[in-house]
Amino acid sequence: LPKVAILVSGRGSNMQSLVRAAGDGYEVVVVASDRPEAAGLAWAREQGIPTFALSPKGIGKAAYEAALDAALRAAGAEYIALAGYMRLLSDRFVADWRGRIVNIHPSLLPKYKGLDTHARAIEAGDAEAGCSVHVVTEELDGGAVLGQANVPILPGDDAETLASRVLEAEHQLYPRVLKEWLAR
Ligand code: GAR
């Protein structure tokens, strides 16, 4: 099975859905985080999944990414799935893993790259929002889209209610698209 590393910065609910769906199509070999206190990391540890935690604070981005890269390779990772990883990977890191990093983003790309996607979709008066799984390139949220799911924006939605509707769709979409992509 293809060996996948998952990178998280926080809660890690997408990571959990990827872990739960593993075993058929891919294997999760390590969960890594740039925030040692990330809740997702604690959950992964409880499941017995190898984890790696390192903050770039104090050591700088280059040293942080070199250590991350070494840890992922030592774990045998062949692919990286970003799951709420809130830090930009450098061009160097992306080039070293070219075509082998995917991300889930909470908008219907190419709309709303970057942050505050739900507030921006509501503000724009969109009838629908959603999420996208895409290949990671040097361009922020700019790589090829592998799959998307749509959800309605309902009257009275705020960023929070919309985010939780989109998040449910994310949990369904990410494992399915990751498997399809790895089997391509
Ligand atoms: C998810 O909605 C994910 O799409 C988003 O952060 C949330 C993480 O939740 N990612 C980004 O905004 C990436 N720029 P989770 O930690 O529970 O998976």
Side-chain angles (χ1 to χ4, degrees):
L1 287 178
K3 293 178 166 46
V4 177
I6 306 178
L7 268 54
V8 303
S9 292
R11 180 176 55 189
S13 71
N14 276 290
M15 177 271 296
Q16 293 190 26
S17 84
L18 289 175
V19 166
R20 290 199 173 97
D24 148 43
Y26 62 90
E27 176 187 349
V28 177
V29 292
V30 62
V31 172
S33 181
D34 58 320
R35 290 184 52 228
E37 70 282 13
L41 210 51
W43 183 86
R45 228 178 263 125
E46 281 164 23
Q47 310 306 303
I49 299 166
T51 60
F52 175 78
L54 180 67
S55 169
K57 281 177 199 148
I59 61 169
K61 188 167 181 123
Y64 160 75
E65 283 191 345
L68 175 63
D69 180 83
L72 302 188
R73 290 181 196 278
E78 301 164 303
Y79 297 90
I80 299 174
L82 307 182
Y85 182 73
M86 300 309 282
R87 200 170 286 281
L88 267 179
L89 294 168
S90 69
D91 289 0
R92 165 78 190 278
F93 189 96
V94 171
D96 285 347
W97 290 84
R98 166 104 35 230
R100 293 185 294 142
I101 311 176
V102 293
N103 179 42
I104 187 151
H105 181 74
S107 79
L108 294 170
L109 291 172
K111 280 187 149 183
Y112 313 127
K113 297 173 180 178
L115 299 175
D116 299 323
T117 54
H118 305 301
R120 288 154 69 199
I122 292 168
E123 175 66 22
D126 293 356
E128 281 191 320
C131 48
S132 307
V133 176
H134 66 93
V135 177
V136 172
T137 65
E138 287 84 350
E139 190 201 336
L140 175 68
D141 300 326
V145 172
L146 303 172
Q148 292 183 312
N150 297 50
V151 304
I153 297 180
L154 301 177
D157 263 344
D158 58 22
E160 212 168 303
T161 59
L162 180 56
S164 66
R165 191 174 310 119
V166 171
L167 191 64
E168 282 182 42
E170 294 184 43
H171 296 162
Q172 302 304 311
L173 182 74
Y174 207 177
R176 178 171 67 73
V177 172
L178 180 62
K179 281 179 200 180
E180 286 169 4
W181 181 66
L182 290 171
R184 72 203 184 279

